[in-house]
């Protein structure tokens, strides 16, 4: 992997100026997440044309329009299954999935866990803003219990998913979390995820000032970023903390990094074995 | 077709697999359901032998979207299911249609909604046409024998590539599970999707200037930057649904690219229609007993003829209309309560009379039942 470049050096090459400005709200965390993606892609040894962005439906889904890379912007929740077919048919390609928390863990939860189980060599970057942004602030499977949302006017009564733990339990072999405050870590974790030969997940704790922050009275986007800074704890430090101390904290870092057989490579081996007979 | 052909005994579902493989399909994603499962089972055996790839996905929408992804990578792809599973695929089928991705979907029809039953039925005729969103035209082909399972699957692959469109095979439990002799050709003519000839920097994912309405399609992972989207889009593949003119033009083009080429798409067999007083319109598993019934009607001196639809969608309206001008009586036998009959009715004039003979108990229509209906209608 080459050195990670500052974003301004990459703008001209990667941004599709004709489609800008984006439709994202001012202060949204998606732009920062995209910055991390662009920096990681440009630093990787893989030629750009071998990447395919596979985006779900949600605010993040429009990303393929703004970046000069091939993309599939298809159905809500189904990024992992489009990418599974694409990767099996074309093992030389590198699908990168861009999904929201609702897209990936509600409607697409089944595909997410099965892609992790298969340990298929694709990278998922889940932008978790803890809310359904695009449809106007309804609660998602990662909305904290008690939170008020468009469909929880009295406060939410059910428990959230921890997406990293979900994917780790399902069999993902690279599982990490960072935030849109930690821009350097964001790019480097995405880079490591891309280089990892198996199912990799980077969960990006993001901010949605419009539908999450406003209802929770978290203040301006800058104040929300400060909240992220003050409430993030590295995985190493978290090990020494009690569950009570960790309540409401965002744990960042790499949780899983291991090697296990990968399904596309195994299938290619199977084809070779059949033909050797 | 050239060289030496070969005769084999195959299950209808297996014939779909062999036809697909011979037509170049190298990817299949599926989810088990009776009576379609043999397609997945046979694919899992045959595809790796041919250097292709089979995957059993976690559900039906996962299967159709995985197959769509594979096709975007430039590999001919297929999925299969039955009634309720096809409903689950519908969102993905519509998405493939608007993204213009070639894809073949086999629907081995069974009865009833929900678990319903696993008996033969023709209850998904309308689902094949209108099951997805936006009213885009689809192609649906209906085999009535194991040989036709093979031939029409080849045709489905070729049509889907030619027009960048999802094509459904409307088979059913009786045809899928029937074993018959099939002649496999030594080789056949393969059709490839139109691929771009322009310089990569000039490539547009949806170049609507293509005279036949079918834009060239680059494989993902090449020098051609591609944007596939289920949004109403412009030529680049970027969302344009706020533009009425672009929206209107796209929806029309998706319809017209098939309607402009009906001669290449409509497969119809006319049997004893030249002098017929009565037209029996049948497809799939009702076509064979209908032919037997027509033969027996002729022996009894009734001038019946058969219009067998191998292409169900687009429906051959013009064809039926011209028959309706010179023939008074129509009879539509179906394993549903009149789905195809409704389309025939749209073609009839004041002097025409439409009769139906239907079965929805899971059994097949017999020549006797259809003959009785012919005698009653005459
Ligand atoms: C099948 C289907 N159901 C519902 C929708 C409507 N929908 C669009 S975006 C969205 C929520 C997206 O939320 P999330 O994934 O959290 O992304 P965000 O918008 O917050 O970035 C929903 C429910 C849809 N497009 N398709
Ligand atoms: S609604 Fe929220 S997530 Fe969506 S663009 Fe606006 S700030 Fe970003």
């Amino acid at each position: 992997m080459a050195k990670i470049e500052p974003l301004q050096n990459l703008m001209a090459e990667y941004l599709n100026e004709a489609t800008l400005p984006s439709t994202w709200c001012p202060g949204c965390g998606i732009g920062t997440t995209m910055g991390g993606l662009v920096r990681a892609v440009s630093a990787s040894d893989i030629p750009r044309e071998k990447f395919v962005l596979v985006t779900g439906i949600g605010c993040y889904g429009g990303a393929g329009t703004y970046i000069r890379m091939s993309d599939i912007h298809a159905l809500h929740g189904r990024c992992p299954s489009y990418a599974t077919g694409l990767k099996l048919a074309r093992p030389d390609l590198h699908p990168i999935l861009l999904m929201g928390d609702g897209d990936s863990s509600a409607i697409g939860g089944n595909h997410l866990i099965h892609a992790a189980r298969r340990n298929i060599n694709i990278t998922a970057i889940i932008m978790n803003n803890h809310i359904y942004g695009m449809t106007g602030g309804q609660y998602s499977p990662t909305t904290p219990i008690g939170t008020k949302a468009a469909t929880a006017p009295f406060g939410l009564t059910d428990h959230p998913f921890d997406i990293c733990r979900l994917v780790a339990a399902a069999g993902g072999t690279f599982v990490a979390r960072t935030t849109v405050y930690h821009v350097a870590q964001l790019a480097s974790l995405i880079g490591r995820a891309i280089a990892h030969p198996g199912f990799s997940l980077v969960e990006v704790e993001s901010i949605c000032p419009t539908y999450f922050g406003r209802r929770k009275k978290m203040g301006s986007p800058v104040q929300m970023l400060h909240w992220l800074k003050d409430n993030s704890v590295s995985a190493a430090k978290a090990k020494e903390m009690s569950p009570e101390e960790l309540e409401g904290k965002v744990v960042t870092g790499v949780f899983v990094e291991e090697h296990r057989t990968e399904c596309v490579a195994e299938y290619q081996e199977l084809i070779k074995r059949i033909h050797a007979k | 077709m050239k060289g030496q052909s070969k005769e084999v005994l195959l299950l209808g579902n297996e014939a779909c697999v062999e036809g697909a493989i011979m037509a170049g399909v190298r990817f299949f994603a599926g989810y088990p359901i009776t009576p379609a499962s043999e397609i997945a089972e046979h694919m899992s055996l045959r595809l790796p032998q041919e250097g292709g790839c089979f995957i059993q996905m976690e559900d039906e929408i996962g299967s159709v979207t995985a197959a769509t992804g594979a096709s975007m990578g430039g590999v001919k792809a297929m999925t299969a299911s039955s009634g309720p599973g096809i409903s689950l695929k519908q969102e993905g089928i519509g998405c493939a249609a608007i993204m213009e991705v070639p894809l073949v979907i086999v629907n081995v029809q069974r009865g009833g909604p929900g678990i319903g039953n696993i008996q033969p039925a023709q209850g998904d005729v309308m689902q094949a046409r209108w099951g997805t969103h936006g009213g885009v035209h689809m192609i649906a082909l209906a085999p009535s024998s194991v040989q036709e399972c093979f031939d029409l699957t080849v045709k489905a692959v070729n049509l889907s590539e030619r027009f960048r469109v999802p094509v459904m095979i409307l088979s059913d439990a009786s045809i899928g599970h029937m074993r018959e002799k099939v002649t496999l050709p030594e080789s056949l003519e393969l059709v490839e999707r139109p691929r771009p000839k322009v310089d990569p920097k000039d490539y547009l994912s949806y170049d609507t200037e293509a005279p036949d309405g079918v834009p060239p399609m680059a494989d993902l992972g090449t020098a051609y930057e591609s944007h596939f989207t289920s949004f109403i889009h412009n030529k680049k593949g970027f969302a344009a649904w706020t533009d009425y003119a672009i929206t209107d033009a796209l929806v029309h083009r998706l319809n017209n690219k098939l309607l402009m080429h009906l001669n290449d798409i409509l497969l119809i067999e006319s049997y004893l229609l030249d002098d017929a007083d009565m037209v029996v319109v049948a497809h799939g598993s009702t076509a064979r007993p209908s032919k037997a019934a027509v033969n027996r009607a002729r022996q009894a001196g009734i001038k019946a003829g058969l219009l067998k639809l191998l292409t169900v969608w687009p429906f051959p309206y013009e064809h039926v209309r011209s028959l309706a001008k010179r023939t008074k009586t129509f009879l539509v036998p179906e394993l549903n309560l009149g789905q195809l009959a409704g389309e025939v009715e749209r073609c009839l004039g004041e002097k025409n009379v439409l009769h139906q003979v239907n079965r929805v108990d899971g059994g097949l229509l017999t020549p006797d039942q259809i003959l009785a209906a012919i005698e009653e209608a005459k």
Side-chain angles (χ1 to χ4, degrees):
Chain A
M1 200 166 99
K3 197 172 140 290
I4 290 183
E5 294 262 344
L7 194 54
Q8 59 266 35
N9 298 358
L10 304 169
M11 302 271 256
E13 194 190 336
Y14 278 88
L15 283 192
N16 195 349
E17 262 185 64
T19 60
L20 295 172
S22 79
T23 54
W24 297 320
C25 312
C28 176
I30 298 179
T32 311
T33 312
M34 297 313 298
L37 171 73
V38 163
R39 294 168 78 196
V41 162
S42 86
S44 105
D45 302 328
I46 301 161
R48 198 196 309 183
E49 69 185 43
K50 295 294 172 192
F51 287 105
V52 178
L53 300 179
V54 188
T55 65
I57 310 299
C59 294
Y60 197 11
T65 313
Y66 307 126
I67 298 195
R68 296 179 156 260
M69 285 166 80
S70 286
D71 86 309
I72 306 171
H73 186 197
L75 290 180
H76 193 25
R78 319 299 172 186
C79 288
S81 46
Y82 282 100
T84 296
L86 179 62
K87 180 74 184 172
L88 275 160
R90 288 285 306 279
D92 60 314
L93 301 190
H94 289 260
I96 297 184
L97 320 185
L98 309 180
M99 303 179 281
D101 44 296
D103 188 77
S104 63
S105 75
I107 191 166
N110 198 24
H111 308 303
L112 180 71
I113 58 176
H114 287 281
R117 170 181 66 79
R118 294 183 181 109
N119 192 31
I120 185 166
N121 186 8
I122 57 185
T123 295
I125 309 173
I126 296 177
M127 202 214 52
N128 189 353
N129 58 8
H130 301 273
I131 204 82
Y132 282 28
M134 178 165 260
T135 42
Q138 301 83 6
Y139 64 82
S140 92
T142 64
T143 305
I145 189 165
T147 304
K148 287 190 177 160
T151 44
F154 308 108
L156 183 60
T157 49
D158 59 32
H159 289 274
F161 268 138
D162 177 328
I163 291 179
C164 285
R165 281 172 66 185
L166 179 72
V167 169
T173 49
F174 182 91
V175 178
R177 183 189 291 123
T178 182
T179 83
V180 290
Y181 176 80
H182 300 88
V183 283
Q185 187 185 47
L186 177 59
S188 94
L189 286 181
I190 295 176
R192 279 168 70 183
I194 289 171
H196 177 80
F199 187 83
S200 53
L201 162 75
V202 180
E203 184 189 2
V204 182
E205 187 78 16
S206 186
I207 56 170
C208 171
T210 313
Y211 287 111
F212 190 77
R214 194 164 43 88
R215 261 180 223 271
K216 283 198 94 149
K217 303 198 169 39
M218 294 177 81
S220 70
V222 174
Q223 283 169 302
M224 288 185 80
L225 283 172
H226 277 289
W227 185 92
L228 275 182
K229 179 188 169 213
D230 299 338
N231 285 278
S232 299
V233 177
S234 73
K237 196 170 163 210
K239 279 206 182 94
E240 284 143 29
M241 291 166 69
S242 68
E244 291 74 37
E245 288 172 312
L246 281 172
E247 187 68 38
K249 295 278 185 282
V250 179
V251 183
T252 61
V254 177
F255 306 115
V256 180
E257 188 168 22
E258 61 186 32
H259 291 278
R260 194 157 63 82
T261 55
E262 188 273 339
C263 74
V264 179
E266 285 291 301
Y267 203 89
Q268 294 302 316
E269 280 303 312
L270 177 141
I271 293 173
K272 272 193 213 139
R273 271 204 313 278
I274 293 173
H275 283 255
K277 274 190 194 153
Chain B
M1 192 175 115
K2 55 181 187 289
Q4 201 61 46
S5 59
K6 188 166 85 178
E7 286 184 346
V8 288
L9 189 67
L10 288 179
L11 210 59
N13 282 343
E14 291 169 352
C16 286
V17 173
E18 293 303 327
I21 286 178
M22 215 157 170
V25 167
R26 290 296 177 271
F27 184 91
F28 181 93
Y31 188 81
I33 185 169
T34 308
S37 293
E38 295 81 10
I39 299 182
E41 290 169 8
H42 203 61
M43 279 289 189
S44 72
L45 174 77
R46 292 287 288 115
L47 274 175
Q49 292 174 342
E50 301 292 334
C53 183
F54 164 87
I55 187 167
Q56 182 171 311
M57 290 297 286
E58 48 274 10
D59 59 24
E60 279 85 356
I61 190 164
S63 310
V64 70
T65 50
T68 308
S71 182
M72 289 165 167
V75 175
K76 291 181 185 173
M78 181 164 127
T79 185
S81 192
S82 184
I86 296 291
S87 301
L88 291 176
K89 289 182 196 288
Q90 285 291 7
E91 193 196 10
I93 294 171
C95 191
I98 193 170
M99 295 191 303
E100 297 184 76
V101 179
L103 183 66
V104 174
I105 306 116
V106 187
N107 180 357
V108 189
Q109 295 168 95
R110 62 187 219 179
I115 300 178
N117 66 44
I118 51 172
Q119 302 288 87
Q122 297 180 313
D124 301 348
V125 172
M126 285 298 156
Q127 194 186 170
R129 172 68 184 91
W130 299 108
T132 193
H133 329 282
V136 288
H137 260 287
M138 293 260 307
I139 298 175
L141 307 177
S144 60
S145 66
V146 179
Q147 180 72 52
E148 282 176 6
C149 283
F150 178 90
D151 296 341
L152 292 187
T153 306
V154 170
K155 193 84 191 168
V157 176
N158 286 346
L159 286 172
S160 78
E161 291 285 320
R162 166 73 184 86
F163 296 110
R164 291 187 58 177
V165 72
V167 178
M168 189 177 285
I169 307 266
L170 276 176
S171 161
D172 72 32
S174 68
I175 299 158
H177 284 170
M178 183 192 298
R179 211 174 276 281
E180 284 184 315
K181 189 177 77 180
V182 178
T183 306
L184 302 179
E186 172 65 19
S187 66
L188 39 84
E189 203 183 314
L190 300 186
V191 175
E192 296 291 327
R193 64 195 65 175
R195 287 193 166 82
K197 295 191 178 68
V198 296
D199 193 86
K201 73 170 167 21
D202 299 324
Y203 177 65
L204 300 171
S205 299
Y206 296 101
D207 186 0
T208 51
E209 304 295 290
D212 63 355
V214 187
M217 173 176 170
D219 302 349
L220 283 171
T222 59
Y224 293 91
E225 188 182 302
S226 300
H227 299 280
F228 288 103
T229 183
S230 57
F231 262 130
I232 292 286
H233 46 260
N234 61 20
K235 289 183 195 179
K236 281 205 172 114
F238 294 148
W241 51 274
T242 48
D243 187 319
Y244 289 165
I246 289 181
T247 303
D248 185 74
L250 177 63
V251 177
H252 275 101
R253 181 174 66 75
L254 291 177
N255 275 270
N256 288 340
K257 73 175 178 176
L258 298 187
L259 297 180
M260 266 162 61
H261 298 98
L262 287 180
N263 285 345
D264 300 331
I265 298 170
L266 295 184
L267 299 168
I268 294 164
E269 277 173 27
S270 301
Y271 180 68
L272 305 179
L273 282 177
D274 287 345
D275 64 341
D277 297 331
M278 184 191 308
V279 183
V280 181
V281 185
H283 77 288
S285 60
T286 51
R288 287 166 85 168
S290 294
K291 190 169 186 178
V294 163
N295 283 334
R296 280 159 60 182
R298 286 277 169 168
Q299 280 161 13
I302 305 169
K303 283 188 179 171
L306 173 68
L307 181 70
K308 173 174 157 184
L309 307 183
L310 294 115
T311 304
V312 178
W313 301 113
F315 189 84
Y317 295 106
E318 280 313 315
H319 209 87
V320 179
R321 249 178 232 135
S322 73
L323 279 172
K325 289 207 178 93
R326 57 184 168 87
T327 322
K328 181 166 170 262
T329 313
F330 282 73
L331 172 69
V332 184
E334 279 181 280
L335 302 182
N336 60 50
L337 292 179
Q339 298 192 17
L340 202 67
E343 296 309 295
V344 172
E345 194 173 18
R346 291 166 70 168
C347 304
L348 303 186
E350 269 174 28
K351 70 174 175 65
N352 296 118
V353 189
L354 177 68
H355 296 266
Q356 297 185 36
V357 50
N358 309 88
R359 237 187 125 156
V360 288
D361 59 358
L364 292 171
L365 278 167
T366 64
D368 279 350
Q369 285 171 309
I370 299 170
L371 181 64
I374 290 175
E375 280 169 344
E376 204 174 306
K378 96 173 148 58

